[in-house]
Amino acid sequence: MDKQYRKTIIAGNWKMNLLASGVKDYADDLLTMIPNSSSWCEAVVCVPFVIIPAALSAFGNSHVSVGAQNMSQHESGAFTGEVSALQLNDLGAKYVILGHSERREVFGETDDIINKKVQTALQQGLSPIVCVGESLLQREIGITDELVSYQVKSALYEIDAKDFEKVTIAYEPIWAIGTGMTATPEDAQKTCAVIRNVVGSLYGADMARATSILYGGSMNDKNANELLAQVDIDGGLIGGASLKADTFAAIIDAAKQ
Ligand code: PGA
């Protein structure tokens, strides 16, 4: 099966939740529950900027990586309140979530800005997790495939194959995020396959086969098994269910298939 050619990634997206003072307990609990997860997947926690140092120190040399949830598209300069890719890399963050629907909807990030962020992240050695996904209206109109294809192509504009190796794509239907409404495994699989085809059209079949595509949107310890069993779903981007170490550990465990 093609899954052997790509990495399984289970990434938590804490959004604007939890505190630096609680990270040590979270990390200790998680590492006790999934002592060897690196043998079947890469576990990642994407935490608020201010928690990154505490998370890095709490996870130490363990197999759990730490990432950010956003960054500036600019390299440096007069951008009050922003955080650069270089600063994240300097701290030791490995991943950065880019183009999350909350960034697109609440903070007005356009496909153009997201593409610039992907380019900047790659230039500074970060591994982007690029999010795409349709709204409920777009799904009802029947333009999910076109929309996610467009978002993937826009985000990857002028990214060459060598750089693309560091990119992970997360399919996150907006209507499923934080709502408890998960896409059916079949629907999630179908759209992830569309995304893989787009990657193939941009970078060739080998690269498409080697690209990790995650599903996100109300993934939890109950539905993870079935979602992760789909042939084109290589992991999850998990919001609410990543806030507690035990449910996150259960999802990481579900990836052992
Ligand atoms: P959720 O969030 O798991 O709470 O739906 C997922 C995400 O927004 O990345």
Side-chain angles (χ1 to χ4, degrees):
M1 195 152 96
D2 280 357
K3 277 199 173 188
Q4 75 200 58
Y5 296 101
R6 44 198 186 247
K7 194 167 26 171
T8 300
I9 299 174
I10 302 292
N13 175 10
W14 288 9
K15 308 194 180 183
M16 201 173 69
N17 294 298
L18 306 185
L19 298 174
S21 55
V23 176
K24 179 87 176 71
D25 285 349
Y26 179 103
D28 289 348
D29 288 351
L30 188 68
L31 293 171
T32 310
M33 288 182 258
I34 44 132
N36 307 310
S37 73
S38 54
S39 62
W40 69 89
C41 79
E42 177 160 8
V44 186
V45 287
C46 294
V47 303
F49 292 134
V50 291
I51 300 184
I52 290 174
L56 283 164
S57 126
F59 283 104
N61 291 327
S62 78
H63 49 86
V64 177
S65 304
V66 174
Q69 304 166 9
N70 179 37
M71 47 159 258
S72 171
Q73 68 269 38
H74 304 288
E75 275 175 37
S76 64
F79 301 102
T80 302
E82 289 290 271
V83 173
S84 75
L86 183 60
Q87 289 164 338
L88 292 175
N89 191 14
D90 181 55
L91 276 183
K94 178 172 176 192
Y95 287 92
V96 60
I97 298 172
L98 295 176
H100 191 281
S101 61
E102 286 150 21
R103 299 297 317 171
R104 294 177 190 258
E105 288 194 330
V106 185
F107 300 97
E109 287 190 14
T110 61
D111 290 298
D112 193 36
I113 292 174
I114 293 157
N115 171 245
K116 188 81 184 44
K117 290 189 178 196
V118 175
Q119 294 191 24
T120 309
L122 290 166
Q123 276 156 18
Q124 302 301 340
L126 297 173
S127 297
I129 300 174
V130 178
C131 302
V132 299
E134 82 288 0
S135 66
L136 193 53
L137 179 63
Q138 288 161 335
R139 171 157 284 266
E140 283 169 0
I141 296 171
I143 55 170
T144 299
D145 294 359
E146 291 92 322
L147 196 267
V148 299
S149 301
Y150 169 77
Q151 288 177 325
V152 170
K153 285 183 189 168
S154 302
L156 300 176
Y157 179 61
E158 292 195 326
I159 306 292
D160 65 25
K162 186 86 210 73
D163 282 339
F164 177 72
E165 282 177 15
K166 294 191 76 170
V167 175
T168 299
I169 298 174
Y171 167 55
E172 297 210 307
I174 297 170
W175 48 271
I177 294 176
T179 59
M181 280 166 57
T182 320
T184 64
E186 295 73 28
D187 282 344
Q189 157 59 29
K190 196 172 150 280
T191 308
C192 289
V194 167
I195 292 170
R196 197 175 303 286
N197 272 336
V198 174
V199 172
S201 73
L202 295 173
Y203 301 106
D206 286 354
M207 191 69 99
R209 197 171 57 173
T211 300
S212 299
I213 300 177
L214 318 183
Y215 168 80
S218 298
M219 188 186 270
N220 58 39
D221 49 337
K222 312 271 179 318
N223 58 29
N225 228 325
E226 228 189 322
L227 285 160
L228 295 171
Q230 304 303 310
V231 289
D232 285 297
I233 299 181
D234 308 307
L237 183 55
I238 298 114
S242 73
L243 297 179
K244 290 214 171 84
D246 56 351
T247 43
F248 193 46
I251 297 171
I252 293 169
D253 202 54
K256 199 198 288 168
Q257 46 180 285

